[in-house]
Amino acid sequence: MRKTKKRLSISHLHWGFPPIIGGVETHLTIILPQMVNLGHRVSLLTGSVEGVEGRYKYNGVEVFRTPLMDLNWLYKRGLEGLEEEIYSVFANFIETTKPDIIHAHNVIAARLALESELPLIYDDHEYWSKEARHRIRDIADVYRWIKWSVWEKIILKKASAIITVSNEIAREHLKYNSRVFILPNLPMSREVHGLRKLKTRRKISIVYIGSISEPQPSYRNIHGFIRLILRNNIGDLIIIGDRKLKTCPPIYSIGFLEHYTLLKE
């Protein structure tokens, strides 16, 4: 007799979800509905956005929003003095969704998830201790880097499984946990199936996905690259995902595009 696969309740934690735009946020819009399609109950606890309801469904995913998951606010303020309120919101979310597994998409969410003692999937989209080090501007940033580094090691040791995006990060994480899986930041085959091959052009077109209007860590700053293009007439630079940037040839701003539209643009 064929064994029936267990349908799980999977609760995700991350501070952003559309209309907040970013790599992880786009990732969530793809994988969460896919989990629903596989028959699982899927929920997400994320940050509040002005004009968006506090609880609703997105393609079958139960979305819960709270100001206490707002990264921009938390990053500047810190968690000090908010622990009791944050744990209360988290406990209510767990009580409502009754998860079999928690899937956390950042180091703060993963640290919070450990309090539940439920199986934890830690999805490490960034190497958080290194991310925090690159963001150091003042003594508060130094303190945050030290704290996140400590949290990260605890999370890596206690997680039921870890997902990350590169062999380099995986090698580091394997020092603390043998259950590390790599999921590269690449489109799925079905997303690019049927795309026509572009004709070779004399002029180079370079596509950058991200924002240059908003402040970025030093390792994400491409202004030197932009100067190189402008001074040497290399070709066109097409920037996707920056809502504020205006087109000024040879730099072309397309603004925000939905994920599937982006792959076919």
Side-chain angles (χ1 to χ4, degrees):
M1 182 181 290
R2 188 174 180 178
K3 191 175 181 180
T4 304
K5 290 184 178 180
K6 183 181 178 182
R7 303 306 182 189
L8 300 172
S9 175
I10 307 170
S11 291
H12 291 256
L13 306 176
H14 188 57
W15 45 55
F17 191 71
I20 302 298
I21 299 303
V24 180
E25 290 76 15
T26 301
H27 176 74
L28 292 174
T29 65
I30 299 167
I31 67 164
L32 269 57
Q34 289 296 325
M35 291 180 181
V36 172
N37 292 338
L38 291 171
H40 302 300
R41 181 188 178 190
V42 183
S43 55
L44 169 68
L45 180 62
T46 189
S48 296
V49 176
E50 187 175 352
V52 179
E53 294 180 25
R55 182 174 177 179
Y56 61 96
K57 283 204 171 186
Y58 171 85
N59 292 345
V61 179
E62 297 175 272
V63 180
F64 299 75
R65 291 187 179 272
T66 171
L68 294 172
M69 292 290 284
D70 183 338
L71 170 64
N72 291 326
W73 179 65
L74 275 179
Y75 188 86
K76 293 174 183 176
R77 188 201 179 283
L79 296 176
E80 290 70 23
L82 288 174
E83 288 91 344
E84 187 174 337
E85 192 173 354
I86 291 172
Y87 291 143
S88 176
V89 168
F90 176 64
N92 288 335
F93 172 68
I94 295 301
E95 177 61 29
T96 302
T97 59
K98 294 180 171 54
D100 299 296
I101 298 171
I102 298 179
H103 191 147
H105 295 267
N106 60 72
V107 71
I108 297 175
R111 177 67 183 86
L112 183 63
L114 289 179
E115 297 297 320
S116 71
E117 298 184 351
L118 288 165
L120 168 65
I121 306 297
Y122 177 42
D123 209 332
D124 186 18
H125 303 273
E126 309 269 7
Y127 196 159
W128 283 103
S129 57
K130 294 186 183 297
E131 168 81 2
R133 186 175 64 188
H134 283 296
R135 290 178 180 266
I136 291 176
R137 298 292 183 273
D138 54 34
I139 190 65
D141 289 336
V142 173
Y143 171 71
R144 189 177 296 111
W145 166 51
I146 294 171
K147 182 165 61 175
W148 283 11
S149 298
V150 172
W151 285 2
E152 190 173 56
K153 289 179 181 178
I154 294 171
I155 293 161
L156 291 172
K157 289 176 181 178
K158 292 189 175 183
S160 300
I162 299 157
I163 302 171
T164 192
V165 296
S166 73
N167 291 320
E168 289 76 14
I169 299 176
R171 279 195 291 269
E172 290 291 318
H173 291 353
L174 281 166
K175 296 174 183 177
Y176 303 98
N177 195 315
S178 62
R179 298 175 297 277
V180 179
F181 302 89
I182 301 170
L183 185 62
N185 285 332
L186 300 171
M188 292 181 284
S189 58
R190 65 177 178 79
E191 295 177 312
V192 296
H193 178 72
L195 296 184
R196 69 183 187 278
K197 188 176 181 179
L198 297 176
K199 293 180 180 179
T200 303
R201 304 193 312 172
R202 290 184 180 179
K203 200 171 186 180
I204 296 173
S205 285
I206 304 160
V207 177
Y208 175 76
I209 302 173
S211 172
I212 65 171
S213 296
E214 302 294 335
Q216 298 291 330
S218 58
Y219 62 94
R220 290 182 181 171
N221 191 317
I222 67 164
H223 286 92
F225 183 61
I226 291 172
R227 287 194 295 273
L228 183 68
I229 291 171
L230 294 174
R231 291 174 181 174
N232 296 279
N233 193 28
I234 292 173
D236 297 331
L237 174 61
I238 300 152
I239 297 179
I240 302 173
D242 194 323
R243 296 177 186 272
K244 298 178 181 179
L245 184 67
K246 303 297 183 184
T247 291
C248 183
I251 298 173
Y252 298 85
S253 178
I254 296 189
F256 171 72
L257 291 178
E258 292 289 346
H259 181 72
Y260 291 107
T261 306
L262 166 64
L263 292 172
K264 294 176 172 58
E265 183 65 28

